[in-house]
Amino acid sequence: MALIEVENLQKSFSRPVRRAGRLGALRGLLAREYVTMEAVAGVSFTLEAGAMAGYLGPNGAGKSTTMKMLTGILVPSGGRIEVGGLVPHRQRVAHVRRIGVVFGQRTQLWWDLPTIESFELLRHVYKIPMARYRENLKAFSELLELGPFLDTPVRQLSLGQRMRADLAAALLHDPAILFLDEPTIGLDVVARERIRGFLSEINRERGVTVILTTHDLSDVERLCQRVVLIDHGRVIYDGGLDQLKTRHGRWRTLVVDLADASCAPLVEMADLVRQEGPRAWLRFDRERTSAAALIAEVAARYPVRDLTVEEPEIEAIVRGIYERGVGVI
Amino acid sequence: MIQLYLTLIGARVRSQMQYRVSFWLELLGFLLVTGLEFATIAILLGRFGSVGGWGLAEVALLYGLTSFAFSLAEMVGRGFDSPFERMMVMGAFDGVLARPLGAFFQVLTADFQLRRLGRTAQAALVLAYAFSQIPIVWTPDRLLLLPVTVLSGFLIYLALIVIGATFCFWTTTTPEVINVFTFGGEQMASYPLSIYQEWLRAVFLFLIPVGFSNYPAALYLLGRADPHGLPAWSAWLAPLAAAVFFGAALRFWRFGVSTYASTGS
Amino acid sequence: MDDRMELYLAVAARSFRRATTYRSAYLAGIITNAFFGALVCFVYQALYAGGGRVAGLSLNDAISYAWTTQSLISIGGAWIVSAGISQSIRSGDVITDLSRPWSFYLYWLSRSFGERAFNLLVRGALTYLVGVLYFGARLPAPADLLAFLPAIILAMQVSFAFSFMVNLTAFWLLDSTGVTLLSNVMLTFLSGFILPVAFFPPALQALVHALPFESITGLPTQIFLGQLAPAQIARALATQAAWAAALTALGLAMQAAAMRKVVVQGG
């Protein structure tokens, strides 16, 4: 049995409709109209223990709503969820004892207390044995470099420091699964890289299953073997990242550095999409042309100094899927 | 659980005590503000002499009992007020549900306002005044009735705070509604229950049992009879009323939590 | 007078329209005010069990008074409402507002007037209607209503100036909770909101007459209910106008001091 099983999961919200016009507000007092929004409209997937998966989708696609149902925060309107044999919203307390949760934009820590005191309180909340707590605190302090700000109140931490503190806080009780909602949002490149390194470390060394939503697809490229793409509350792709690339990324680019900057490399089997000085970008269809054939052709005609084949960017693939649908590309 | 409560509350109080001056000023402020509640009653009774046959000292007993209970509820339960409202607006209630503790317990520990002792002190002063003016024969049962009544009142007010807060699940912000329940209840109970119409008396005894925070106990302590036939022994029903009402508030709260819709998508 | 009258009118109109959109807020407000109005009436009915007049007021006078003051809560008649300014000070938006080509004071005054005009016409009127329908609160005579109009406008100016100053203390105090608490106590008690001033002992009445708070609630309420003779009305309006001018001047002086502090210390 898989660790996470989600079957035909649904969540709809009803929201009051605002009426326009000056008298709208007064009329609205008397009778309200509601509109039903289907945030998640029948999502199914399974996830094995030890995996690291990205749950992706544009804004409003239902990512966070799904995450909140998986973590027991929201009660689904329909469908079935089981995480490690528990139904999150029904066995909430038992379930959340075994998971860690980080919501990128808000902290789970006590706002006005020093960071270390928040950790101490969490030790009581999760009843973590003292020895284990010390061990974890030491390990995370080293990996995330928490030392310098352990005594600083959470409200005074920078965004990057706070995120590191939140990650440590979510893992102190040795959860089997870590849920991350936008863990790198608003962070600079260095902070982002540190967090990615930490995540792959705890996945590899501790076997923590990680499921994350993100806007930043470089997170996914760096971390996830598995991706689930959703849009309008439905799954539109579920599978390996590599397959996504090979199946949906038909276009590759050959980057050529020419010895002579004045000539434009024109070949029949590829399109010249960009040229800057001696460097040229040639886009080709992987299904009709092999890279080797193209390289041979270019090298035969033009003086070439260097060549590289660029993999398609995940960002472009995903954008393509959202724009044109899975079947088209 | 009690140990965890004390640990979490201890952290709160420590962080409040960092601002020592502001703490004492606010405590004093609450003493003054609530003092004016009683001053209002005293001014009215100074003009009118009595209300429903109760003089100032007797009304002071009523007011002191209910205000004392209310002060304890405010001290313990204000996590359900603005901290909870903030959680709902900022979406931090998600984090509450992501922890392995009851949501009720966590919101309860979101605040502990030691400065509300200002009201407790004021209520104690008013009670002291009442006891100094009224010759009560202190038998053991009467002595026992005092803490029983205050504790019941505390639970009833706490339940009111929780009920008011629960509406936040549907409207997000409702500080004013909380006021109807808590301050409204307290203001109502500051005067003898007998002055209200029958349906209101019924509401305040059997639906929202704030009346039990003082009126029957005052009858019992003063050896008075209720003009509408409420027996003095009903003072001993206060714990029952409090338990039932608090239980109902908890159920309502749990229902609210189950409909929690979070924010965003 | 500022020459950008149009701008302030537009600000007031926007604030009025915005107030109309918070319908659950004003519905809850009306219910709250009516609930407390009813409670006070029950107490008065018991206090007046013997009939007659107390301190010159009949039961109906007291009841009408209670409903009028409840109706004035949402325009600042009982405690400081609308903490927009202190929020903008805490968030730092105030710096931009102070440096805009307008009078900071008039900007907030127009915002407050727009919102309070709505509150008076909808929240206040509906609350009073409950009192009229269920407790026989008195409908004002046309002449009194006419005198009430300048009285309520002056009351809103005094109330605004006072809350403006309380809010501006946030420039100097780290935490203005204490000041707000204390100001609210004075406003609630010394304005005649909680009880008609006539019920107060003489010494307290003298104190109330010497302070500005009565101009916010007590005086307009008495005018509304026709409890004042024409000469008294004239004196009440003059008192209100004097306080409005004095507190506005004080408020502007405080604003200038705050401005200097911003310029020197950068907030």
Side-chain angles (χ1 to χ4, degrees):
Chain A
M1 201 179 84
L3 180 63
I4 298 179
E5 291 189 359
V6 175
E7 204 183 304
N8 192 27
L9 184 66
Q10 294 156 36
K11 179 74 189 177
S12 51
F13 297 100
S14 64
R15 297 240 156 92
V17 192
R18 288 240 153 145
R19 289 186 218 199
R22 223 160 275 192
L23 286 173
L26 286 176
R27 265 187 286 130
L29 265 181
L30 304 171
R32 276 192 177 184
E33 275 173 32
Y34 289 88
V35 64
T36 306
M37 272 181 32
E38 287 196 52
V40 175
V43 162
S44 307
F45 63 88
T46 57
L47 195 65
E48 301 298 328
M52 205 166 189
Y55 193 64
L56 312 178
N59 266 338
K63 289 182 309 236
S64 297
T65 306
T66 311
M67 288 291 261
K68 284 172 187 169
M69 289 191 279
L70 285 170
T71 49
I73 290 168
L74 287 179
V75 180
S77 325
R80 193 178 70 87
I81 310 183
E82 247 182 75
V83 181
L86 295 177
V87 179
H89 60 278
R90 273 200 218 114
Q91 291 140 294
R92 187 180 66 77
V93 171
H95 169 64
V96 298
R97 214 175 261 295
R98 304 199 310 216
I99 64 169
V101 180
V102 176
F103 297 117
Q105 279 156 312
R106 3 188 148 96
T107 180
Q108 313 289 306
L109 303 169
W110 280 259
W111 194 243
D112 41 9
L113 294 183
T115 312
I116 185 74
E117 275 200 52
S118 275
F119 291 166
E120 278 289 328
L121 289 177
L122 287 172
R123 177 171 73 80
H124 292 286
V125 168
Y126 287 91
K127 302 194 182 99
I128 308 167
M130 198 59 192
R132 187 62 189 153
Y133 168 76
R134 288 227 179 91
E135 215 173 292
N136 278 344
L137 185 61
K138 187 162 166 285
F140 298 145
S141 294
E142 275 165 21
L143 284 169
L144 292 164
E145 291 172 49
L146 306 176
F149 55 86
L150 275 179
D151 293 319
T152 314
V154 174
R155 69 184 128 86
Q156 289 170 17
L157 298 185
S158 74
L159 194 60
Q161 291 174 330
R162 219 202 62 207
M163 181 50 67
R164 275 139 67 197
D166 259 315
L167 270 176
L171 289 162
L172 281 172
H173 58 287
D174 291 314
I177 314 171
L178 182 61
F179 291 92
L180 302 160
D181 197 3
E182 300 286 354
T184 58
I185 200 162
L187 300 182
D188 62 50
V189 184
V190 181
R192 214 177 274 180
E193 198 43 48
R194 197 202 309 254
I195 282 176
R196 289 174 187 160
F198 176 74
L199 289 176
S200 53
E201 164 106 14
I202 58 136
N203 174 251
R204 208 174 47 237
E205 302 297 323
R206 296 178 171 239
V208 178
T209 307
V210 179
I211 175 163
L212 65 95
T213 74
T214 181
H215 270 89
D216 184 353
L217 289 157
S218 56
D219 283 349
V220 178
E221 277 201 283
R222 170 75 205 277
L223 294 172
C224 305
Q225 310 90 5
R226 164 84 177 279
V227 290
V228 178
L229 284 182
I230 66 159
D231 196 18
H232 295 105
R234 289 170 211 280
V235 174
I236 55 174
Y237 176 83
D238 181 0
L241 184 64
D242 294 336
Q243 284 140 284
L244 183 69
K245 281 186 184 173
T246 48
R247 196 182 309 158
H248 300 293
R250 213 162 93 179
W251 300 97
R252 297 287 153 92
T253 310
L254 178 71
V255 186
V256 188
D257 280 346
L258 299 164
D260 179 5
S262 63
C263 69
L266 293 171
V267 284
E268 215 165 88
M269 49 182 82
D271 302 324
L272 177 66
V273 286
R274 207 166 128 209
Q275 187 167 18
E276 277 170 22
R279 177 167 291 187
W281 282 263
L282 293 165
R283 197 176 65 151
F284 64 99
D285 183 342
R286 202 175 47 85
E287 281 167 20
R288 281 195 277 148
T289 311
S290 77
L294 179 64
I295 290 170
E297 175 81 15
V298 172
R301 291 206 205 170
Y302 304 96
V304 171
R305 235 189 238 151
D306 197 11
L307 287 163
T308 40
V309 176
E310 271 185 3
E311 289 289 305
E313 281 178 22
I314 176 97
E315 187 122 27
I317 297 174
V318 171
R319 206 183 314 120
I321 293 180
Y322 292 145
E323 279 164 12
R324 298 185 292 272
V326 188
V328 187
I329 26 169
Chain B
M1 207 53 148
I2 288 172
Q3 205 197 334
L4 183 58
Y5 177 80
L6 293 177
T7 310
L8 292 170
I9 285 308
R12 290 269 159 238
V13 173
R14 267 201 309 285
S15 81
Q16 282 168 20
M17 292 305 259
Q18 285 171 5
Y19 310 96
R20 206 165 288 266
V21 176
S22 144
F23 170 81
W24 285 108
L25 275 179
E26 278 175 33
L27 194 144
L28 201 71
F30 278 116
L31 191 113
L32 276 176
V33 175
T34 57
L36 285 178
E37 279 181 14
F38 186 67
T40 305
I41 294 172
I43 288 173
L44 273 178
L45 287 179
R47 283 279 172 192
F48 290 85
S50 68
V51 58
W54 295 57
L56 180 60
E58 286 131 349
V59 174
L61 174 62
L62 283 174
Y63 174 82
L65 282 174
T66 208
S67 180
F68 200 97
F70 185 40
S71 76
L72 298 183
E74 283 202 297
M75 188 157 36
V76 170
R78 278 293 156 188
F80 284 91
D81 196 11
S82 46
F84 174 59
E85 196 192 320
R86 259 201 312 276
M87 281 181 200
M88 295 299 281
V89 174
M90 316 267 290
F93 193 69
D94 288 0
V96 165
L97 291 178
R99 288 214 184 108
L101 293 170
F104 181 86
F105 181 83
Q106 288 186 72
V107 177
L108 191 70
T109 54
D111 200 1
F112 184 90
Q113 299 192 344
L114 200 58
R115 57 181 178 275
R116 301 279 176 173
L117 277 176
R119 183 191 271 279
T120 319
Q122 178 261 0
L125 286 174
V126 172
L127 276 180
Y129 164 77
F131 290 141
S132 75
Q133 298 294 306
I134 312 166
I136 297 177
V137 185
W138 286 108
T139 52
D141 54 329
R142 282 182 172 156
L143 271 176
L144 177 67
L145 187 60
L146 269 188
V148 166
T149 304
V150 167
L151 226 64
S152 308
F154 158 70
L155 269 185
I156 292 167
Y157 279 116
L158 189 60
L160 282 174
I161 292 175
V162 171
I163 290 171
T166 303
F167 285 106
C168 279
F169 285 111
W170 300 285
T171 60
T172 314
T173 54
T174 50
E176 279 201 290
V177 170
I178 294 189
N179 287 349
V180 170
F181 287 99
T182 54
F183 287 98
E186 195 241 5
Q187 187 170 338
M188 186 285 311
S190 303
Y191 297 93
L193 194 65
S194 54
I195 68 169
Y196 302 105
Q197 291 154 30
E198 192 178 354
W199 66 271
L200 258 180
R201 291 200 310 274
V203 164
F204 287 126
L205 283 176
F206 304 117
L207 195 62
I208 307 167
V210 191
F212 275 109
S213 70
N214 61 0
Y215 184 68
L219 291 179
Y220 195 93
L221 293 175
L222 299 170
R224 280 181 85 114
D226 176 55
H228 309 288
L230 184 73
W233 57 259
S234 63
W236 297 102
L237 293 181
L240 182 70
V244 170
F245 190 55
F246 191 74
L250 262 182
R251 293 193 74 146
F252 184 51
W253 167 260
R254 296 222 173 100
F255 172 66
V257 172
S258 74
T259 67
Y260 175 61
S262 189
T263 49
S265 58
Chain C
M1 242 315 112
D2 202 284
D3 59 344
R4 287 184 299 276
M5 199 60 206
E6 235 171 274
L7 164 72
Y8 300 120
L9 280 176
V11 168
R14 234 193 65 204
S15 159
F16 184 96
R17 232 168 309 138
R18 223 166 46 114
T20 64
T21 59
Y22 294 114
R23 69 205 105 150
S24 56
Y26 59 75
L27 198 64
I30 291 168
I31 292 170
T32 310
N33 299 155
F35 177 83
F36 281 96
L39 271 189
V40 174
C41 286
F42 293 136
V43 174
Y44 276 135
Q45 282 165 352
L47 286 167
Y48 274 101
R53 286 174 172 271
V54 173
L57 300 178
S58 67
L59 173 60
N60 183 256
D61 288 334
I63 283 179
S64 305
Y65 190 95
W67 282 98
T68 312
T69 52
Q70 285 295 328
S71 306
L72 295 182
I73 288 178
S74 60
I75 64 150
W79 46 79
I80 292 170
V81 290
S82 158
I85 304 178
S86 59
Q87 270 164 24
S88 86
I89 293 174
R90 234 166 286 136
S91 69
D93 291 348
V94 71
I95 310 294
T96 0
D97 285 347
L98 274 171
S99 59
R100 288 218 168 103
W102 63 27
S103 155
F104 182 71
Y105 187 89
L106 283 181
Y107 165 69
W108 281 102
L109 181 75
S110 355
R111 267 187 72 155
S112 147
F113 263 55
E115 187 189 340
R116 287 176 192 195
F118 171 81
N119 283 345
L120 184 70
L121 294 175
V122 177
R123 266 186 74 158
L126 286 176
T127 304
Y128 197 73
L129 188 66
V130 177
V132 171
L133 292 178
Y134 292 96
F135 292 90
R138 187 182 319 141
L139 283 172
D144 295 324
L145 210 52
L146 209 64
F148 178 68
L149 190 68
I152 198 66
I153 289 172
L154 287 169
M156 288 202 283
Q157 280 189 26
V158 177
S159 147
F160 173 78
F162 180 65
S163 63
F164 182 81
M165 286 192 283
V166 172
N167 281 319
L168 243 59
T169 57
F171 271 104
W172 292 273
L173 301 173
L174 272 176
D175 181 12
S176 51
T177 324
V179 177
T180 314
L181 196 70
L182 216 67
S183 313
N184 281 340
V185 171
M186 291 197 288
L187 200 52
T188 308
F189 197 71
L190 300 174
S191 67
F193 163 76
I194 205 110
L195 290 176
V197 180
F199 285 159
F200 284 8
L204 205 53
Q205 284 193 29
L207 177 70
V208 168
H209 293 326
L211 292 171
F213 307 109
E214 199 187 7
S215 292
I216 298 176
T217 319
L219 294 178
T221 300
Q222 284 173 289
I223 292 174
F224 181 74
L225 295 173
Q227 290 172 351
L228 298 182
Q232 288 173 306
I233 291 178
R235 197 161 37 186
L237 288 175
T239 311
Q240 283 187 298
W243 278 119
L247 292 193
T248 303
L250 259 174
L252 287 172
M254 236 175 119
Q255 179 193 316
M259 200 90 135
R260 271 197 302 281
K261 189 176 176 323
V262 170
V263 173
V264 175
Q265 303 174 4

